[in-house]
Amino acid sequence: MIKKKYETEWNDCFRDEFEEWFFHERGYNPFISQDDFREYPDFKRPPEPPRIEFEFYTPNGEEHRVTFFNSKYFFIEDEENYEKIYKSITSKYKKIKYIVEDYNFEPCKWYESSFGKCKGVGYEELFVNLWTLMKIPTEELPTIVKKNCEEQAKFIQKIVHRYKYDMRKFPSKISAWQYMAHQEIAFPGPHHQYVYQLLPELGEEAMKFRKNKNLYKEVSAVLDQESVEAWKRIGDKK
């Protein structure tokens, strides 16, 4: 029996899907390099899928590389047995895959010893595994990771300054630091403990949310109401 060949194309959401994970995780996890990622197109000879690379640091401060490879979209939606046909496809490009290596293209020993492999499928598995590094206490952080925490703290301070500036025009019952702690829940964090040491005001507000489980809903309600009122004022001026 001759298998039918279907038209394919590389997943055009590859970069967008990756960015959703990468920018969120990099914003919290200082073990992920604060530099931007690198994107490469597909190569015809030899055949190689589009890929995205970025660096992270192991507990001893060594830099390693993660490479994600794009998946293919198979044009089979018009077929009667769509699911059955998809399962029968044996292409190695059915799913987005990743590999974790050092700069000699050897498997990352830390990742392999921690998770039993140096490659896998999908974004969630990789970033959840890297999140385990967040358990390392401040006194054991490599120098480069501490510097990344300091970069994160500077970025947070910029947002706080902007929030305070905007409060001149749109006053709020929610302080800038309370707003930032609220955002850590809205866009799940938290930051590493060292960031809270660098920004004690953020640490204090974050602790309030941990102690009072209703605080998030209360602050959300205030922010929603203030947003409605702000847009109404803008509309009235037009």
Side-chain angles (χ1 to χ4, degrees):
M1 180 179 176
I2 300 176
K3 285 189 175 182
K4 181 178 178 180
K5 290 187 177 180
Y6 297 97
E7 289 186 31
T8 65
E9 67 177 25
W10 292 115
N11 175 13
D12 60 2
C13 295
F14 179 49
R15 177 173 179 160
D16 291 340
E17 292 171 349
F18 170 80
E19 285 183 337
E20 284 186 25
W21 279 96
F22 179 74
F23 289 127
H24 175 272
E25 296 297 316
R26 187 183 68 174
Y28 286 109
N29 190 343
F31 283 87
I32 295 175
S33 173
Q34 300 300 287
D35 294 333
D36 208 353
F37 61 86
R38 299 176 301 283
E39 184 177 16
Y40 300 94
D42 60 314
F43 295 95
K44 306 300 181 183
R45 295 181 182 178
E48 192 173 322
R51 69 188 193 277
I52 291 176
E53 298 177 352
F54 69 92
E55 280 69 43
F56 76 98
Y57 302 95
T58 56
N60 63 3
E62 290 184 355
E63 188 176 65
H64 286 70
R65 177 177 55 232
V66 175
T67 303
F68 277 101
F69 299 96
N70 199 2
S71 61
K72 279 190 174 182
Y73 177 79
F74 297 85
F75 291 90
I76 58 176
E77 64 273 10
D78 292 334
E79 299 289 340
E80 290 184 9
N81 300 316
Y82 172 89
E83 293 183 2
K84 185 176 180 180
I85 292 173
Y86 183 76
K87 289 180 180 179
S88 71
I89 294 174
T90 56
S91 170
K92 61 182 179 180
Y93 302 125
K94 281 176 69 174
K95 296 181 179 180
I96 288 172
K97 299 178 181 179
Y98 71 84
I99 187 169
V100 187
E101 302 171 308
D102 63 21
Y103 279 95
N104 292 318
F105 299 101
E106 295 293 330
C108 171
K109 293 180 179 179
W110 169 80
Y111 196 90
E112 198 168 38
S113 64
S114 299
F115 308 108
K117 58 182 180 179
C118 63
K119 58 182 66 176
V121 177
Y123 303 113
E124 183 173 6
E125 178 181 87
L126 182 281
F127 285 113
V128 167
N129 287 345
L130 292 187
W131 191 262
T132 61
L133 290 164
M134 294 283 278
K135 297 178 182 178
I136 296 176
T138 299
E139 59 272 16
E140 296 178 17
L141 292 179
T143 300
I144 183 61
V145 175
K146 277 194 169 184
K147 288 182 178 178
N148 286 344
C149 285
E150 291 160 8
E151 287 299 313
Q152 290 178 353
K154 289 178 183 177
F155 183 72
I156 292 170
Q157 285 178 317
K158 287 181 180 179
I159 298 176
V160 167
H161 292 324
R162 180 66 192 184
Y163 186 89
K164 290 180 177 179
Y165 177 82
D166 290 342
M167 283 179 67
R168 300 176 185 177
K169 194 172 183 180
F170 302 102
S172 175
K173 297 177 182 178
I174 307 303
S175 72
W177 291 111
Q178 187 176 49
Y179 172 78
M180 292 306 302
H182 174 273
Q183 292 302 97
E184 284 193 355
I185 302 173
F187 303 95
H191 286 91
H192 190 276
Q193 190 60 40
Y194 183 46
V195 173
Y196 297 125
Q197 292 178 27
L198 296 169
L199 302 173
E201 300 97 331
L202 177 62
E204 290 173 10
E205 293 299 333
M207 184 59 67
K208 291 178 184 178
F209 280 96
R210 294 193 190 102
K211 290 181 176 179
N212 183 356
K213 301 302 181 183
N214 294 320
L215 185 57
Y216 177 77
K217 290 183 179 179
E218 294 170 4
V219 172
S220 294
V222 173
L223 290 173
D224 289 345
Q225 182 60 38
E226 290 179 346
S227 178
V228 171
E229 293 173 355
W231 280 109
K232 187 176 183 299
R233 289 200 297 272
I234 293 172
D236 290 343
K237 291 180 179 179
K238 291 182 178 179

